[in-house]
Amino acid sequence: MAKYRCTVCGYIYDPQKGDPDNGVKPGTVFEDLPAGWVCPECGVGKDMFEKV
Amino acid sequence: MEIRKNIFWVGAVDWNVRNFHGHTYTTKRGTTYNAYLVVDEKVALIDTVYAPFADEMIEKISEIIPPEKIDYIIANHVETDHSGALPRLLERCPRAKVVGTQKCKEGLYKNYYGNWDFQVVKSGDSIDLGRRSLTFLEAPMIHWPDSMFTYCPQEQLLMPNDAFGQHYATSERFDDETDQCALMEEAKSYYANILWPLGSVILKKIEEVKKMNIPITMIAPSHGIIWRKDPARIVNAYASWAANKTEASAVVVYETMWKATEKMARAITQGLTDSGVRVKLYDIAESDRTDVITQMLEAKGFVFGSSTHDNDMLPALGGFLELFKGLRPKGRVAFAFGSYGWAGGAVKEIEGVLQEAGVETAMPGIGIQYAPTAEDLKRCYEQGKAFAEEIKRR
């Protein structure tokens, strides 16, 4: 499961951890994040992320 | 100062501030903190000012209405130059509700630890003031996570906080009243030094707002001049900078111990000049970093040079490159040079920073031991010429 980096603030999305504070369960791959999901650190959209 | 019928500028002019954000930004023309008061059936204040100017703002408000009458204080951005007067103001209008994004709410608490009545808003939410309303648009990372824009549809007025601002202290408030060169220079400096790394977010936001098809005939930012004659001018400038549009020009930045590196810098600059590429040369130990970064915004090529000192580059260039690295400039080319006494090191260290910054090292570095000979300087000159061709080719 690939990690993704926010190109704006550097936050790393780790699918093993998910984003439980925002309702994303551990084990959710990046592609399965809902379209409206935003970077929990800086708030920009999914399209600002790149594969690590 | 009325900017639209019953909408007032109640901000402050900070004529004498010369360093901003600590010492990261030189405000050689000072700045303003813009706050806007909308007087309708309900009263809303959009943003406040830096804390030392709180009384000045409250006095301006008091000349229009008693501050107690304020119903809403819109906090577009948590940063203290816009929120600093909030605690003082809220003592005068305890009834007022503070309005902002969730991140703004969290940030304001972490700055002031006040238990204020806060209304969290999201994109598309609006507040009815009577004849007018205010609609909000979240703008994360333009330029902090909490940032948002406020739009008044009845007045076609956008208040985008720090976006489209300038650190420019003036007695006049509007774009058509002020010195055009100074205005655009400060707008460019502001973009280069604050917003440069956020270009991709800015481009997307401009597209988003264009698709919303909302009329905007006035842009009132939180610093500097209000755009009323031609708001599209600054939006188009932002679109161009955010798209990394560059010209075939170069900026040479160096630091020198005994003038050997300086001689190399001059030879490289001459090579670029003789090839028809516009170039600026800066000894960074003597220059203003804010100005240099402004000049780099539209340049395609960067050349960095330093003498080697303790196996590394000199400290003024080191500090400058630390700042430069954070701007993550896209689509630029560069090379490094410098004089050394024995083992060298500066050229390699500079190239390391270029790599970290994501800037392509387009030519081999030039290291010269002690003072350059005429032949060495010829080599520097030729590399300047070759780099000019590289810049033109890209």
Side-chain angles (χ1 to χ4, degrees), chain B residues 272-288:
Chain B
L272 282 154
T273 306
D274 291 352
S275 302
V277 162
R278 192 139 50 83
V279 54
K280 297 261 184 199
L281 173 72
Y282 294 99
D283 174 350
I284 197 60
E286 303 293 342
S287 305
D288 179 68

Side-chain angles (χ1 to χ4, degrees), chain A residues 6-9 39-45 47-48, chain B residues 103 140-141 144-146 197-198 200-202 204 328:
Chain A
C6 174
T7 56
V8 180
C9 77
C39 173
E41 286 292 340
C42 78
V44 301
D47 55 340
M48 292 290 163
Chain B
K103 293 238 188 243
M141 296 315 281
W144 278 15
D146 55 273
L198 306 169
S200 55
V201 186
I202 289 164
K204 252 190 74 185
R328 284 171 284 161

